[in-house]
Amino acid sequence: MAQTPPARPKIEYVIFDMDGLLIDSERVYTDVTNELLAPYGKEMTWDIKAGLMGKPERDAAAHLLSFFPDLPPEFTLEHYLRARRELQDARWPSVQPLPGALRLVQHLHRHRVPIALATGSQRRNFELKSSHLGALFGCFEGRVVCADDGLVRPGRGKPHPDIFLVAAERFLHRKVGSGEVGEDHISAEEEAERKKGLVFEDAIPGVQAAKRAGMNVVWVPDANLLSIGGDAAPTIETPDLQLKSLEEFVPEEWGLPPYDS
């Protein structure tokens, strides 16, 4: 007998992460970093990379270099960021969508489901990654929050909920308020509004941020992350659904319009 899908809340708006969820940019981060480390006999393995995903750029870079204390003195944080940026900039214009991303985003846009993008990428990097993918990113119609837009206070990136709340309030006009779910100043109306949102994420800090925002979250982790045992968010902040790919998402289970075919 087929299992009955679990009851899901009816979703009214959707917020997407970008890197590693909609586009295959995590592969570029990995390849470029290992190209820079290879002359020194070093490698960023997936057990190291797992701890970087979802972190702000400088925090992630500092965490990475902490694993290689014997790199030469000239291989500083600034050197790494500068060299990595040059190599990445040459590759972003060829990065491609991940399976299921284009279909889902275009489907929601076509059915007028409010959607926004909330990414830890800097605005310049977002532009480089997205400018050749108008069929995908054009669906957001400018409803994009980047890490350096000045809309999220420094130090309040994921796993803090701020970026998702800003995306919902500023771009989707949902009265969600501010602060983590459970804080006294959040009204019942704001809490109810948060529960109408669905977030798609690939990284654990993003899952944590969405749950702390009081929203529903679908986790689509990289298979490499699961292979090294990074298969669970903290138990009090577990995703509502885990998928291998966006291709597996069934919109009607969440009260969203079903795919046309």
Side-chain angles (χ1 to χ4, degrees):
M1 182 182 294
Q3 269 192 325
T4 303
R8 304 288 190 192
K10 187 178 187 311
I11 294 304
E12 295 186 6
Y13 62 95
V14 178
I15 303 174
F16 291 90
D17 175 48
M18 181 177 68
D19 290 301
L21 177 82
L22 295 180
I23 58 174
D24 193 18
S25 48
E26 290 295 342
R27 183 191 308 272
V28 174
Y29 284 120
T30 301
D31 291 349
V32 163
T33 290
N34 283 333
E35 186 174 325
L36 293 171
L37 291 174
Y40 307 98
K42 310 296 184 185
E43 179 185 6
M44 179 180 69
T45 57
W46 260 94
D47 57 339
I48 295 175
K49 183 178 174 69
L52 313 181
M53 296 177 69
K55 284 185 168 65
E57 181 183 56
R58 292 188 68 86
D59 292 348
H63 185 69
L64 168 70
L65 296 186
S66 72
F67 286 91
F68 309 113
D70 55 340
L71 284 169
E74 62 270 20
F75 202 105
T76 62
L77 176 62
E78 296 302 332
H79 165 78
Y80 167 66
L81 289 174
R82 183 171 57 255
R84 189 183 72 169
R85 173 175 288 194
E86 291 175 1
L87 292 174
Q88 286 174 170
D89 283 357
R91 301 184 194 194
W92 291 142
S94 61
V95 72
Q96 293 300 308
L98 284 164
L102 187 61
R103 184 190 187 202
L104 176 56
V105 171
Q106 288 185 335
H107 170 73
L108 296 176
H109 178 256
R110 185 165 55 249
H111 287 273
R112 301 183 184 278
V113 176
I115 59 174
L117 187 74
T119 174
S121 278
Q122 296 178 355
R123 175 63 61 169
R124 69 172 299 277
N125 291 339
F126 166 74
E127 298 294 347
L128 288 168
K129 295 170 186 176
S130 65
S131 60
H132 64 294
L133 298 173
L136 173 62
F137 290 102
C139 294
F140 291 98
E141 299 177 336
R143 296 184 294 271
V144 176
V145 184
C146 294
D148 59 344
D149 283 346
L151 300 176
V152 177
R153 297 200 320 272
R156 293 290 300 182
K158 304 170 188 177
H160 298 290
D162 303 34
I163 194 167
F164 294 130
L165 297 173
V166 166
E169 183 98 25
R170 184 180 182 96
F171 293 109
L172 303 179
H173 311 295
R174 316 301 295 206
K175 301 299 183 184
V176 296
S178 61
E180 295 193 12
V181 67
E183 292 180 359
D184 292 341
H185 69 273
I186 300 172
S187 69
E189 291 77 14
E190 290 170 340
E191 187 171 341
E193 194 67 22
R194 295 176 183 210
K195 291 179 180 178
K196 298 174 184 176
L198 180 63
V199 172
F200 285 88
E201 264 286 353
D202 72 307
I204 288 176
V207 171
Q208 294 171 310
K211 297 307 292 183
R212 292 175 190 183
M215 298 175 181
N216 306 280
V217 59
V218 175
W219 187 34
V220 191
D222 191 295
N224 290 292
L225 182 63
L226 301 184
S227 71
I228 54 98
D231 57 353
T235 55
I236 61 171
E237 294 165 334
T238 54
D240 298 279
L241 178 65
Q242 180 177 331
L243 301 176
K244 294 179 180 177
S245 163
L246 287 175
E247 293 177 303
E248 296 181 340
F249 182 68
V250 181
E252 58 267 36
E253 290 183 3
W254 298 84
L256 295 166
Y259 284 123
D260 300 328
S261 60

